[in-house]
């Protein structure tokens, strides 16, 4: 049985006549659950999880192409393209046809994590082969089957986000659209797991697996408080809330927001970008941004370049692909990752993908 089918069987019982969003049993891990219970559920997605130590002992980073976002709203698109390239074992980041297909398929600049889940589902079913641009091109076929699971503390639209500056512009339209997508996901039995509290240690254990990456929603206002990028030469440069990206066509000649917006496209104002995020209310500061979590490192050089408070001691760091950053790899201390990930507005969304 394919791992994807095992996930579906785990999430939905055979005698279940009608699916109800998981609210009472182990499919939704309740707030009293501990890491062991969550680990039992995730082992069904990742069978080798129990063989991993609680803290990483070696450096393991998946080889994945770095693709920059092209606008101030498409970081989720860039992350999806990076994962797609990785699933096909390609080293090139030039996926023009794929990008066009993703943008057409998603049909909005206001991208939520549930949008990315459906795109991954479409890629798994190779729906793109039905389009003229991909027909008869065997090079676009996936190298092998893969599995995925969307974990979040809220598998619904939080009405409280209407008060967030980041969400306000498109929130009214998004509520209906995204709510319908969640209902469709339930009905289509996509792999979902509602986890009120998902420890960073559990994330690290999964991402430490060979051939496993994740698309994660972070708060860019927290991420960029101490932002910096690490190049292959060991250089460190600032990646502030607004980053100048290199574009090739006329509609991109502008300075774009470093965050690209998981949930709402063109939100936020540049006048706020220079205000210390620690002095702003979450409803004013939040700026959603997707990155690809691609491994962990115990390398002392990587740890020394990792984002986070200099006074925080860490024995390892997380490796991410930040589509807003020009350099191909960025490192984060676990505590800084946790602050960015648990920031109000993210719902602690994360999609794990394993090939």
């Amino acid at each position: 049985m394919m791992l994807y089918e095992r996930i579906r069987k785990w999430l939905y019982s055979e005698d279940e006549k009608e699916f109800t969003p998981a609210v009472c049993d182990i499919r939704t891990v309740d707030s009293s659950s501990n890491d062991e219970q969550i680990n039992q559920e995730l082992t069904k997605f990742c069978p080798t999880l129990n063989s991993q130590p609680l803290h990483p002992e070696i450096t393991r980073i998946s080889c994945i192409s770095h693709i920059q976002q092209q606008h101030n709203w498409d970081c989720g698109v860039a992350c999806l393209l990076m994962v797609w390239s990785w699933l096909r074992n390609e080293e090139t980041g030039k996926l023009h046809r794929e990008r066009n297909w993703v943008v057409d398929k998603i049909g909005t600049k206001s991208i939520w994590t549930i949008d990315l889940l459906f795109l991954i589902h479409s890629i798994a079913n190779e729906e793109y082969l039905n389009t003229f641009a991909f027909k008869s091109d065997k090079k676009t076929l996936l190298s092998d089957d893969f599995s995925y699971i969307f974990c979040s503390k809220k598998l619904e639209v939080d009405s409280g986000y209407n008060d967030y500056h980041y969400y306000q512009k498109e929130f009214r339209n998004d509520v209906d659209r995204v709510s319908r997508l969640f209902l469709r996901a339930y009905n289509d039995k996509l792999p979902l797991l509602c986890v009120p509290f998902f420890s960073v240690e559990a994330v690290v254990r999964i991402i430490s697996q060979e051939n496993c990456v994740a698309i994660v929603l972070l708060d860019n206002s927290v991420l960029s408080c101490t932002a910096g990028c690490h190049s292959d030469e060991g250089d460190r440069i600032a990646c502030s809330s607004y980053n100048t990206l290199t574009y090739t066509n006329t509609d991109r000649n502008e300075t774009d927001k470093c965050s690209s917006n998981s949930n709402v496209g063109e939100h936020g104002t540049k006048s706020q970008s220079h205000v210390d995020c620690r002095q702003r209310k979450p409803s004013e500061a939040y700026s959603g941004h997707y990155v690809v979590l691609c491994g962990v490192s115990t390398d002392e050089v990587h740890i020394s370049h990792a984002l986070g408070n200099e006074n925080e001691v860490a024995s390892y760091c997380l490796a991410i692909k930040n589509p807003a950053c020009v350099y191909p790899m960025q490192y984060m201390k676990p505590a800084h990752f946790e602050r960015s990930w648990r920031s109000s507005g993210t719902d602690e969304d994360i999609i794990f993908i394993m090939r």
Side-chain angles (χ1 to χ4, degrees), residues 6-12 27 41 44 149 193:
R6 290 206 298 269
I7 295 172
R8 291 181 60 175
K9 186 174 181 180
W10 151 47
L11 289 172
Y12 310 92
R27 285 173 243 166
E41 293 305 300
K44 298 169 185 177
I149 186 168
L193 180 62

Side-chain angles (χ1 to χ4, degrees), residues 38 42 151 195-200 202-203 206 341-342 348 352:
I38 296 173
L42 290 171
C151 303
V195 187
F197 184 83
F198 200 139
S199 72
V200 171
V203 172
I206 297 172
W341 182 44
R342 297 205 194 282
E348 299 173 20
F352 294 104

Side-chain angles (χ1 to χ4, degrees), residues 293-308:
L293 182 57
C294 56
V296 297
S297 175
T298 56
D299 187 290
E300 292 183 1
V301 174
H302 295 167
I303 296 172
S304 68
H305 285 86
L307 308 183

Side-chain angles (χ1 to χ4, degrees), residues 79 123 315:
C79 288
I123 291 171
S315 60

Side-chain angles (χ1 to χ4, degrees), residues 10-37:
W10 151 47
L11 289 172
Y12 310 92
S13 62
E14 294 179 357
D15 59 351
E16 199 169 28
K17 296 180 180 179
E18 181 177 338
F19 175 72
T20 302
V23 292
C24 58
D25 61 21
I26 196 64
R27 285 173 243 166
T28 291
V29 182
D30 63 42
S31 57
S32 63
S33 300
N34 57 31
D35 273 0
E36 183 177 352
Q37 290 174 291

